[in-house]
Amino acid sequence: MTSQARSTRGAGGAAAVAGVAAATAGAGAGELSAALVAPASSPFAVIGGALIDLAPTWAKDLMIEWFGTADKIALTVLIALVLAVVAAWAGWAELRRPPAGAVIAVAFGAVAAITALMRETGDPVPFLPGIVAGAVAGAALHLLVGMLRPKPARPGTDAPSGLPDRRAFFAWTAVAAVGGALAVAAGNAARAGSRAITSVRDALTLPAPATTAPPVPAGAELDIDGLAPVVTPNADFYRIDTALIVPSIDPADWSLRIHGMVEEEVVLTWDELLALPLNETTVTLSCVSNDVGGSLIGNARWLGYPIRELLARAKPTADADMVLSRSSDGFTASTPLEALTDDRDAILAVGMNGEPLPPEHGFPVRMVVPGLYGYVSATKWVVELEVTRFEEARAYWTDRGWSERGPIKLQSRIDVPRGGRRLSAGDTVIAGMAWQPHTGVDGVEVQIDGGDWQPATLATAISDDTWVQWSLPWSAEPGDHTLRCRAISADGQTQTSDTAPPAPDGATGWHEIQVSVA
């Protein structure tokens, strides 16, 4: 055993703790510097964004299936756990082979800096947070682990080496860990305030619509406990996107560029958009990752300007068939040109349920297109529309194996009773939702224990672009029961029983639940 190994024997656990503390200090420095000079280039955000981009489709589907709209929180926690494991190993390496651990820490910061440079963050110095994080983590690790080594004997004496000061080591390790954690929290808080443009949004008054949406008709709400409301509150509206950090856009700096296969390029500013006659419309949006019976769907009242009017200004050429929309964070979606130029209420939305768009739902401007899954139509933080052709351009998700066009499939689900619940025997109700935006729903049928299909009572729909509630009285008898539902569209199609997963163009099948009646 070498003298170095003997002198550090038993210190491996402490070195691993030092590695985690140093990584926390580096993460805090990186997040705080990002908040100050490069809000979109946080090391966690750029590394997480790169992982989202590189992850195979099955992995993304699994994250959404397991965590739903908490998928970004889950990814952040996963990154932190992996970082902690690597940091512990770096601490051990620094103890055994200095400065190997410090080099590992600096290398991680360099990876974050390079990744930030390669991504479209829009920050002037996107590399800086990664560099700061790596430098602080490396220096802290080198200093902390150095405290675990015996002190050298005084020159010219035979005195033995002094023992490491473990009390000082743990004190400084705690300082690094707590200081780093506080810096992470401070950085996130500071960046959140900037990102949300809170004061601007709160002070914003949207213009009154030139055309108001029809009111929610009488009979649209069945007032059944556990049934989703017809209009989804903003706080409950599902969120699925690729942005770990919500883009921060001041409306005064926002503009939309329409270009590509057009006769005239169009650039629209925020003030110009608000000066146009805005329309109010109620539209149901759905995520293509929604499983049969899933909750990745919502219905809201939107305020915005028809995209077809802006495209009419640009005058697309006759051979164009697709519009590639681009978000401020680089996300792209491919929308059929016909879906943006026909008579549907495809809009550039600025308002949601009577207020400016929430930041996580696209503030200041997003797209809303009835009848298409969000991955090909509902671009948030939209800044660019490129008129092109499907054969010449591919979007974020189509590059990853999803279909190009993404029409929303006919679907229905059972909300009441909840699957797996135990019910009391007697009169009760089966109720749920059905949808096929831009086509509409004409009926819903329910099957109990494999018997005949029974027609449910359909509530009044707001329009063909929205989902609709339905219900069926049921005299529940004791025992275990299987309930199924299927919808019938306004054009006479019946929801298919064929079971298919969300990829590549939306899930199919009948929603089925099991209930027990006592």
Side-chain angles (χ1 to χ4, degrees):
M1 182 179 293
T2 66
S3 60
Q4 173 71 15
R6 282 195 301 270
S7 67
T8 58
R9 185 169 51 188
V17 172
V20 175
T24 304
E31 295 300 309
L32 195 55
S33 62
L36 296 174
V37 299
S41 301
S42 145
F44 266 99
V46 296
I47 294 296
L51 291 176
I52 291 173
D53 291 349
L54 294 172
T57 298
W58 64 264
K60 294 184 177 75
D61 292 344
L62 194 62
M63 288 290 288
I64 293 173
E65 181 181 348
W66 284 0
F67 302 106
T69 55
D71 58 335
K72 294 169 185 63
I73 296 174
L75 177 60
T76 301
V77 171
L78 179 61
I79 293 171
L81 290 175
V82 171
L83 178 62
V85 171
V86 174
W89 172 65
W92 182 89
E94 180 68 17
L95 182 69
R96 294 292 188 264
R97 298 262 193 280
V103 169
I104 292 170
V106 172
F108 257 73
V111 168
I114 293 169
T115 304
L117 280 171
M118 295 173 63
R119 295 181 67 82
E120 298 183 39
T121 65
D123 290 328
V125 284
F127 57 86
L128 187 60
I131 296 295
V132 170
V136 170
L141 182 59
H142 184 70
L143 293 173
L144 290 175
V145 173
M147 298 174 70
L148 293 173
R149 298 190 181 91
K151 299 174 183 178
R154 293 177 181 176
T157 71
D158 295 327
S161 299
L163 294 176
D165 187 345
R166 294 298 181 96
R167 182 177 296 179
F169 165 77
F170 284 112
W172 282 107
T173 298
V175 168
V178 173
L182 291 175
V184 168
N188 286 336
R191 191 174 56 243
S194 168
R195 181 172 70 232
I197 314 292
T198 305
S199 59
V200 175
R201 182 182 177 275
D202 290 348
L204 184 62
T205 300
L206 296 175
T211 304
T212 57
V216 176
E221 288 278 7
L222 296 180
D223 294 323
I224 296 173
D225 260 355
L227 186 59
V230 173
V231 177
T232 310
N234 290 356
D236 298 335
F237 207 95
Y238 78 95
R239 178 196 167 194
I240 297 291
D241 52 55
T242 62
L244 276 182
I245 291 181
V246 175
S248 174
I249 305 175
D250 189 328
D253 299 328
W254 177 88
S255 66
L256 177 77
R257 178 187 176 213
I258 304 176
H259 65 106
M261 299 173 66
V262 296
E263 294 181 18
E264 297 181 21
E265 185 170 312
V266 173
V267 175
L268 184 73
T269 67
W270 172 256
D271 288 339
E272 290 170 338
L273 176 58
L274 291 195
L276 296 170
L278 304 182
N279 296 341
E280 195 177 53
T281 182
T282 307
V283 175
T284 294
L285 300 183
S286 178
C287 179
V288 71
S289 295
N290 201 32
D291 285 314
V292 172
S295 60
L296 301 181
I297 180 170
N299 184 56
R301 184 165 295 204
W302 310 92
L303 177 69
Y305 188 70
I307 297 174
R308 63 174 173 271
E309 300 294 344
L310 296 174
L311 289 173
R313 290 191 201 177
K315 301 174 184 175
T317 59
D319 50 345
D321 65 2
M322 187 261 276
V323 173
L324 189 72
S325 54
R326 186 178 301 275
S327 167
S328 65
D329 67 350
F331 172 83
T332 54
S334 56
T335 310
L337 179 60
E338 61 185 357
L340 300 177
T341 54
D342 61 17
D343 62 354
R344 76 185 76 196
D345 288 328
I347 61 171
L348 281 179
V350 297
M352 181 179 183
N353 288 333
E355 64 179 72
L357 290 171
E360 64 273 17
H361 291 296
F363 181 78
V365 184
R366 68 170 295 166
M367 292 173 62
V368 172
V369 183
L372 300 180
Y373 287 118
Y375 81 104
V376 295
S377 68
T379 302
K380 302 173 183 177
W381 315 290
V382 63
V383 294
E384 185 179 325
L385 300 179
E386 179 186 357
V387 181
T388 181
R389 293 184 56 79
F390 280 105
E391 64 186 29
E392 294 181 5
R394 294 178 65 81
Y396 183 93
W397 286 113
T398 50
D399 255 343
R400 289 158 176 78
W402 294 78
S403 66
E404 291 180 333
R405 297 173 184 267
I408 296 178
K409 295 180 177 179
L410 177 63
Q411 281 287 337
S412 58
R413 76 179 190 211
I414 299 170
D415 283 3
V416 180
R418 296 292 181 190
R421 294 287 177 86
R422 192 173 184 85
L423 308 177
S424 298
D427 291 339
T428 184
V429 65
I430 304 169
M433 313 295 292
W435 62 90
Q436 192 177 27
H438 195 55
T439 299
V441 173
D442 198 46
V444 172
E445 296 177 329
V446 178
Q447 185 187 62
I448 303 172
D449 297 330
D452 293 337
W453 287 97
Q454 304 177 49
T457 298
L458 209 63
T460 305
I462 298 175
S463 75
D464 286 344
D465 288 337
T466 66
W467 61 4
V468 60
Q469 296 181 347
W470 58 266
S471 67
L472 177 74
W474 179 35
S475 182
E477 298 181 354
D480 295 330
H481 300 279
T482 299
L483 311 180
R484 298 187 184 95
C485 65
R486 67 183 185 189
I488 302 166
S489 69
D491 60 7
Q493 301 298 312
T494 298
Q495 182 180 337
T496 181
S497 61
D498 295 340
T499 301
D505 58 0
T508 61
W510 294 335
H511 189 209
E512 175 181 307
I513 66 168
Q514 310 293 323
V515 295
S516 181
V517 178

